[in-house]
Amino acid sequence: MLNIIVAGPPGSGKGTLAKTLAEKYDLIHFSTGDMLRKEVEQKTPLGQKVAPILERGDLVSDNIVISMISSSLDEHPQMHGFLFDGFPRTQAQAEALDRLLEDKGEPLNLMILLNLSDDVCAARILRRGTLENRSDDTDISKVKHRLTTYHTLTKPIVDHYKKQDKFVAVDSSQTPEHTFNQVKQCLNQIL
Ligand code: ADP
């Protein structure tokens, strides 16, 4: 069973890599960003609550995303590999995920971190914002705020996985294929 996290700054290509990995390795793909945007689109009570948070580029509270992931895992009681995209993003989320996977008897195998500079991230996000009409992706000050949040809250959780010897970083500044090939080599070593 393969359980992995795809992490990286906004604009690093997490979503693109996650989709390819989920398909090629037959993993169930959980993207907290996609789940939250769906709630916003459907104007659910949760969506209405989180809409301004996403718009500002702040993180949604740990409780909300942890319970979203917890119930998504509950929907898959059968044995299956999982891919977490954009989760965990804080130390509390990382610890909660450890517990959830432990309860399932399926520990995490690896956190894959996509590495690239803030400048390249910002340029990619602004381009995506125009193409996909994502309002949190079109305002440079909000994009910078998300990058700062990433460096302050999310990057430090790398240590959590390094301590468990479950961490690898790959260069994500080139093509999606280049990123995928590096990840494939890493996964070949643990599979
Ligand atoms: P990006 O990596 O470009 O920020 P995502 O789709 O992963 O895109 O996330 C979009 C937004 O959704 C984030 O800016 C944040 O507001 C919210 N979000 C997604 N995942 C989480 C999480 N694990 N914890 C808190 N907020 C989250």
Side-chain angles (χ1 to χ4, degrees):
M1 203 64 50
L2 182 64
N3 293 316
I4 53 180
I5 296 169
V6 175
S12 57
K14 291 190 299 287
T16 306
L17 174 69
K19 275 190 202 103
T20 313
L21 286 174
E23 202 182 293
K24 304 236 182 210
Y25 291 86
D26 189 24
L27 306 174
I28 296 178
H29 176 188
F30 296 130
S31 158
T32 41
D34 284 351
M35 290 177 196
L36 290 165
R37 276 187 292 278
K38 200 161 153 206
E39 298 283 341
V40 173
E41 264 163 39
Q42 295 177 345
K43 298 200 169 61
T44 62
L46 176 62
Q48 288 175 345
K49 185 171 168 189
V50 300
I53 305 173
L54 265 72
E55 186 60 38
R56 285 197 302 273
D58 284 329
L59 291 188
V60 168
S61 77
D62 288 334
N63 284 345
I64 291 178
V65 286
I66 292 167
S67 69
M68 272 183 357
I69 288 288
S70 171
S71 32
S72 303
L73 284 170
D74 284 345
E75 285 167 16
H76 298 279
Q78 73 281 24
M79 296 287 270
H80 218 294
F82 297 113
L83 185 158
F84 302 92
D85 160 6
F87 180 92
R89 257 170 152 102
T90 63
Q91 180 69 25
Q93 293 178 23
E95 288 168 12
L97 181 62
D98 282 352
R99 283 193 298 273
L100 288 170
L101 291 177
E102 220 168 85
D103 288 349
K104 277 192 148 313
E106 286 206 41
L108 186 85
N109 297 92
L110 195 64
M111 175 200 235
I112 300 159
L113 182 79
L114 301 183
N115 257 338
L116 82 172
S117 72
D118 282 6
D119 286 352
V120 180
C121 285
R124 284 189 186 172
I125 296 174
L126 294 170
R127 197 169 58 227
R128 174 174 78 186
T130 325
L131 293 173
E132 293 181 8
N133 203 15
R134 247 182 83 170
S135 58
D136 61 338
D137 276 356
T138 42
D139 179 334
I140 184 68
S141 64
K142 286 181 196 167
V143 169
K144 284 193 173 150
H145 177 60
R146 273 155 64 203
L147 285 164
T148 308
T149 305
Y150 169 76
H151 287 294
T152 321
L153 295 174
T154 307
K155 193 78 196 289
I157 68 172
V158 158
D159 280 342
H160 181 81
Y161 296 101
K162 273 189 179 162
K163 276 187 214 144
Q164 300 181 20
D165 208 12
K166 292 178 178 174
F167 173 78
V168 69
V170 300
D171 166 42
S172 184
S173 66
Q174 300 184 44
T175 60
E177 293 74 28
H178 179 257
T179 309
F180 174 71
N181 285 331
Q182 294 170 82
V183 173
K184 198 163 76 180
Q185 283 177 17
C186 300
L187 292 178
N188 280 345
Q189 288 173 18
I190 60 167
L191 282 172

